[in-house]
């Protein structure tokens, strides 16, 4: 595509236009999100798409891939360093602290849905602008909420008709037991340093737990017999982990324990989980508890837990599983106003039909009668209403049901009532 001066414009790499035909699936998913969140008493929060860069450095963690190499960071005209949000949790925590929500009765239950930005190598299910549906709950350590949140994710997928979504569960401990475990892990890995990939060699100092979920085969072999976090949990974390599992069972949620799963963000404590799908690389969604994050962002000691579900991956899975999305595919009525006077009368008539709640369309290009009938077909109209000079003189209108071919002429002022009764259907 070239502009007037020969410059060509292309969509930025790693982004997509969601076009008619596909956008209905997104709208359907969004409806499901809102309905589910409403029933579970979550309120929506809309935060800005960019934040101070330091929020993510602090929140997500300096040594994470996101902060080290994936952020869209820029300096604005006032010299401030800003970053397009790579995820939603840090922003919601910032808002929770800034609005002093911790002074309100707890828990605070929030959800969000919107675009996130990460400079990653684009591939199927991985984009630079992608969308997440996320929930965050602040102010309770009740392990029941951990299970409810995981169950909420499962309910989201099942309500869409997705099958074979698995829950992977782990506990990553807390600021008391994790440092001890970390030491043990480094002690175990240090002599095997040379067998690790380059990335993991540097992780050994900076973020050794990430070595556990490295996809590199030789790293996986090295870590196969490594000490496991779940066996080094302190009493609090161990009992929390037990109870989460107990509640999951009560809720009928099946899960697998994956002791290697550490998640790519630094804020997690205790519960960590992912939703995965057989055969799809990467996770559909993930989340966990973050009991220290509110404090890290400048608030009091308030626990939190939540998840972020990738919507591109959800749409992809719906396609792969050929799930039928119930969307209205056509319009209710196409109006053919034939002649000067009928056209004048047709314009307010169309407005009246639309205001009555029907989707209606007309011709804007002075097409011939046949062309207009074709347009009605193309738009998958249920009815075509024909208003000609003769009909108008008698204050009548012809209505045709396209599927059955049945046609009748009715009083003009009865059209809306006629459609309401669905007599043509
Ligand atoms: P996350 O695991 O980084 O967690 O991302 C959650 C989900 O977002 C992933 O499972 C994936 O489906 C989707 N996702 C991530 N990156 C991309 C990408 N480049 N393209 C397409 N989809 C992507 C978080 O973001 C945490 N904030 C979740 C959370 C909320 N934890 C607690 N509360």
């Amino acid at each position: 595509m070239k502009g007037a001066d020969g410059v060509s414009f292309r969509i930025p790499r790693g982004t997509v236009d969601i076009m008619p035909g596909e956008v209905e699936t997104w709208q359907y998913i969004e409806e499901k999100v809102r309905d589910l969140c409403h029933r579970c008493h979550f309120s929506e929060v809309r935060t800005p798409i960019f934040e101070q860069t330091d929020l993510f450095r602090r929140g997500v963690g300096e040594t994470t891939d996101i902060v080290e190499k994936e952020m869209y960071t820029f300096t604005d005209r006032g010299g401030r360093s800003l970053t397009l949000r790579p995820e939603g949790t840090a922003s919601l925590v910032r808002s929770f602290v800034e609005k002093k929500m911790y002074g309100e009765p707890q828990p605070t239950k929030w959800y969000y849905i919107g675009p996130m930005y990460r400079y990653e190598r684009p591939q199927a299910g991985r984009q630079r602008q992608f969308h997440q549906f996320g929930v965050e709950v602040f102010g309770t350590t009740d392990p029941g909420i951990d299970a409810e949140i995981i169950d909420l994710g499962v309910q989201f997928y099942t309500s869409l008709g997705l099958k074979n979504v698995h829950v992977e569960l782990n506990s990553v401990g807390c600021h008391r037991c994790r440092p001890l475990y970390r030491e043990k892990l480094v002690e175990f890995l240090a002599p095997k340093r040379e067998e690790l990939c380059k990335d993991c060699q540097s992780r050994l100092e900076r973020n050794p737990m990430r070595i556990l979920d490295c996809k590199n085969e030789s790293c996986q072999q090295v870590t196969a017999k490594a000490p496991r976090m779940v066996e080094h949990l302190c009493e609090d974390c161990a009992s929390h982990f037990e109870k989460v599992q107990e509640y999951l069972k009560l809720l009928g949620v099946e899960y697998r324990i994956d002791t290697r799963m550490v998640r790519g963000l630094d804020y997690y404590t205790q519960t960590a989980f992912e939703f995965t799908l057989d055969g799809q690389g990467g996770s559909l969604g993930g989340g966990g508890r973050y009991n220290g994050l509110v404090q890290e962002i400048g608030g009091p000691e308030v626990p939190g837990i939540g998840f972020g579900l990738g919507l591109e991956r959800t749409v992809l899975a719906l396609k792969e599983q050929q799930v039928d999305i119930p969307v209205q595919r056509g319009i209710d009525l196409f109006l053919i106003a034939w002649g000067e006077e009928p056209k004048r009368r047709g314009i307010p008539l169309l407005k009246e039909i639309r205001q009555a709640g029907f989707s209606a369309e007309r011709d804007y290009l002075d097409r011939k009668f046949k062309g207009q009938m074709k347009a009605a077909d193309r738009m998958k109209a249920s009815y075509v209403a024909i208003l000609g000079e003769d009909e108008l003189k008698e204050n009548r209108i012809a209505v045709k049901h396209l599927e059955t071919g049945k046609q009748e002429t009715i009083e003009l002022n009865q059209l809306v009532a006629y459609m309401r009764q669905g007599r043509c259907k």
Side-chain angles (χ1 to χ4, degrees):
M1 185 176 46
K2 294 225 174 183
D5 52 3
V7 182
S8 60
F9 296 101
R10 286 236 189 118
I11 195 165
R13 189 164 146 75
T15 69
V16 298
D17 296 318
I18 303 173
M19 304 297 286
E22 183 162 28
V23 81
E24 293 78 8
T25 304
W26 285 81
Q27 289 165 345
Y28 179 72
I29 291 175
E30 284 156 17
E31 267 171 40
K32 288 282 179 203
V33 164
R34 293 186 202 292
D35 173 54
L36 195 59
C37 287
H38 172 71
R39 283 186 285 121
C40 298
H41 193 223
F42 282 81
S43 308
E44 186 182 1
V45 174
R46 302 186 187 191
T47 61
I49 276 167
F50 55 82
E51 298 270 359
Q52 288 172 318
T53 301
D54 282 345
L55 175 67
F56 301 116
R57 287 189 171 285
R58 272 281 189 104
V60 176
E62 294 278 2
T63 61
T64 56
D65 284 354
I66 295 181
V67 170
E68 279 189 344
K69 42 191 182 198
E70 293 172 0
M71 294 208 298
Y72 276 91
T73 298
F74 61 98
T75 309
D76 77 358
R77 286 167 191 273
R80 304 168 190 91
S81 179
L82 300 171
T83 293
L84 298 185
R85 61 181 185 197
E87 60 108 47
T89 312
S91 303
L92 263 74
V93 171
R94 194 261 312 131
S95 179
F96 179 84
V97 172
E98 200 175 350
K99 303 282 182 318
K100 298 195 171 55
M101 292 303 294
Y102 46 80
E104 306 285 321
Q106 297 303 323
T108 301
K109 295 170 75 181
W110 283 346
Y111 80 94
Y112 53 94
I113 184 163
M116 310 287 160
Y117 303 85
R118 295 184 195 177
Y119 191 83
E120 290 195 85
R121 191 177 313 159
Q123 50 181 257
R126 195 194 290 161
Q127 293 174 191
R128 291 182 175 170
Q129 174 179 285
F130 62 97
H131 298 76
Q132 278 185 357
F133 151 44
V135 303
E136 313 291 349
V137 175
F138 300 99
T140 171
T141 52
D142 180 349
I145 194 80
D146 301 39
E148 279 190 39
I149 295 264
I150 295 171
D151 185 43
L152 183 67
V154 174
Q155 282 190 54
F156 168 70
Y157 293 121
T158 15
S159 75
L160 289 171
L162 272 187
K163 296 197 178 75
N164 304 325
V165 175
H166 303 291
V167 175
E168 316 282 344
L169 183 69
N170 195 15
S171 174
V172 295
C174 68
H175 66 280
R176 268 169 289 140
C177 50
R178 194 162 36 198
L180 297 174
Y181 167 70
R182 224 177 116 124
E183 260 176 46
K184 284 228 162 81
L185 184 64
V186 174
E187 226 169 77
F188 173 88
L189 291 174
K192 305 176 176 64
R193 188 191 174 91
E194 294 312 310
E195 295 160 55
L196 296 171
C197 72
K198 280 258 146 20
D199 275 351
C200 284
Q201 290 190 6
S202 93
R203 281 179 187 137
L204 198 53
E205 281 90 49
R206 295 175 307 118
N207 203 344
M209 283 177 72
R210 287 303 313 273
I211 299 174
L212 294 173
D213 75 347
C214 179
K215 302 288 172 272
N216 189 303
E217 220 171 279
S218 69
C219 296
Q220 290 201 349
Q221 273 175 14
V222 174
T223 52
K225 292 211 169 79
R228 303 187 316 169
M229 183 72 238
V230 285
E231 281 147 16
H232 293 81
L233 297 173
C234 62
E235 220 172 279
D236 266 6
C237 290
S239 109
H240 188 90
F241 194 41
E242 278 301 309
K243 286 194 185 120
V244 172
Q245 294 179 61
E246 202 179 308
Y247 284 119
L248 281 174
K249 284 175 194 140
L250 283 171
L251 289 168
V253 176
E254 284 179 30
Y255 61 91
R256 304 192 283 224
I257 292 187
D258 177 358
T259 55
R260 282 173 178 273
M261 190 235 300
V262 289
R263 311 272 302 125
L265 306 98
D266 275 355
Y267 46 63
Y268 292 112
T269 55
Q270 299 185 331
T271 313
F273 57 89
E274 281 183 357
F275 300 103
T276 59
L277 203 58
D278 290 332
Q280 202 183 62
S283 56
L284 272 181
R289 199 163 254 294
Y290 44 85
N291 289 348
L293 186 58
V294 174
Q295 225 171 1
E296 190 69 37
I297 303 300
E301 207 183 319
V302 177
I305 177 163
F307 65 54
L309 313 184
L311 297 186
E312 276 73 10
R313 293 182 192 180
T314 306
V315 171
L316 209 63
L318 287 170
K319 260 194 216 151
E320 272 165 14
Q321 296 190 7
Q322 298 178 348
V323 177
D324 206 18
I325 303 289
V327 290
Q328 195 190 349
R329 304 227 176 256
I331 58 169
D332 294 313
L333 179 134
F334 189 92
L335 177 66
I336 302 181
W338 198 244
E340 243 354 270
E341 205 38 41
K343 211 168 169 183
R344 280 171 54 79
R345 180 65 188 90
I347 286 178
L349 179 63
L350 196 67
K351 174 174 174 178
E352 195 187 323
I353 297 164
R354 288 170 172 168
Q355 281 186 326
F358 296 102
S359 56
E361 191 51 296
R362 70 176 176 97
D363 168 67
Y364 292 89
L365 296 169
D366 279 331
R367 287 193 179 85
K368 304 221 166 69
F369 191 84
K370 238 182 157 177
Q372 294 201 28
M373 283 303 284
K374 261 196 192 158
D377 254 348
R378 202 174 51 241
M379 292 176 202
K380 297 191 178 67
S382 305
Y383 305 70
V384 174
I386 304 156
L387 187 63
E389 307 272 5
D390 292 348
E391 283 93 355
L392 189 56
K393 262 186 227 142
E394 291 173 20
N395 269 323
R396 294 172 75 78
I397 188 162
V399 194
K400 182 174 182 179
H401 186 230
L402 288 189
E403 211 177 283
T404 58
K406 190 179 144 205
Q407 182 166 337
E408 52 190 317
T409 304
I410 60 167
E411 296 287 321
L412 187 50
N413 62 10
Q414 289 304 302
L415 180 60
V416 165
Y418 184 87
M419 287 178 70
R420 279 218 178 97
Q421 286 171 14
R423 290 242 292 273
C424 273
K425 286 193 174 163

